[in-house]
């Protein structure tokens, strides 16, 4: 238990970023799955990711980076586009090539899961290096 507390203490920003990301991911997945009933998977994924971006920016700007400057928004937006490109590419590859265009639940969950995990780490580490910190 002490190791867990120590990890949280030493990596507070990463833990908070992760918790916010989990919350945003749940919203993203719900939006995406509902919209897939009406529009193509990549379009639904894009709308889910954009919804998540808006929520995540405000939460992480306040609770992780503690800044809401123009520079922080621009960095967040640019890394969001990178994240979106990666996520949509992963969804496209999985749904088109790996699962042959299947609309079933398992292909959805696997492709959505893969489109969340890799971009999450890449985006977090880029943002942690270039995002301004502190109150603006």
């Amino acid at each position: 238990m002490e190791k867990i507390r120590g990890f949280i203490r030493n990596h507070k920003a990463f833990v908070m970023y992760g918790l916010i990301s989990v919350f945003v991911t749940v919203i993203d997945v719900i939006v995406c799955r509902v919209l897939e009933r009406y529009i193509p998977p990549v379009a639904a994924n894009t709308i889910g990711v954009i919804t998540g971006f808006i929520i995540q920016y405000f939460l992480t700007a306040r609770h992780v980076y503690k800044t809401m400057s123009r520079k922080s928004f621009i960095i967040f937006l640019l890394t969001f586009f990178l994240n979106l490109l990666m996520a949509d590419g992963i969804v496209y590859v999985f749904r088109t090539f790996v699962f042959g265009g299947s609309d079933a639940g398992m292909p959805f969950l696997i492709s959505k899961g893969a489109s969340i995990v890799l971009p999450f780490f890449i985006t977090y580490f880029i943002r942690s290096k270039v995002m301004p910190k502190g109150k603006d």
Side-chain angles (χ1 to χ4, degrees):
M1 194 58 136
E2 189 57 39
K3 287 184 178 189
I4 293 171
R5 284 190 202 125
F7 178 83
I8 292 171
R9 224 179 1 260
N10 294 333
H11 299 80
K12 186 177 180 179
F14 180 75
V15 170
M16 183 60 76
Y17 188 91
L19 291 173
I20 291 168
S21 294
V22 168
F23 172 70
V24 168
T25 297
V26 169
I27 292 171
D28 174 0
V29 169
I30 291 168
V31 168
C32 185
R33 190 59 176 165
V34 168
L35 289 178
E36 272 198 13
R37 296 176 187 201
Y38 308 103
I39 60 178
V42 173
N45 186 67
T46 300
I47 293 170
V49 171
I50 289 170
T51 303
F53 161 77
I54 293 166
I55 296 166
Q56 188 178 37
Y57 172 72
F58 287 106
L59 291 176
T60 59
R62 180 175 181 176
H63 298 289
V64 177
Y65 303 112
K66 298 177 180 30
T67 183
M68 291 186 81
S69 66
R70 181 178 296 150
K71 179 180 179 183
S72 70
F73 180 76
I74 290 169
I75 291 169
F76 209 88
L77 185 62
L78 292 174
T79 55
F80 160 75
F81 285 128
L82 174 64
N83 186 336
L84 179 60
L85 182 65
M86 287 186 291
D88 280 349
I90 291 168
V91 166
Y92 177 78
V93 168
F94 271 69
R95 296 297 286 278
T96 303
F97 299 111
V98 176
F99 295 112
S102 175
D103 289 341
M106 193 55 66
F108 168 79
L109 289 174
I110 292 170
S111 63
K112 189 65 180 168
S115 77
I116 290 167
V117 173
L118 182 62
F120 166 82
F121 286 106
I122 292 170
T123 304
Y124 173 77
F125 288 112
I126 291 171
R127 286 177 181 163
S128 70
K129 298 294 182 200
V130 297
M131 185 69 90
K133 292 173 181 66
K135 297 217 182 244
D136 286 338

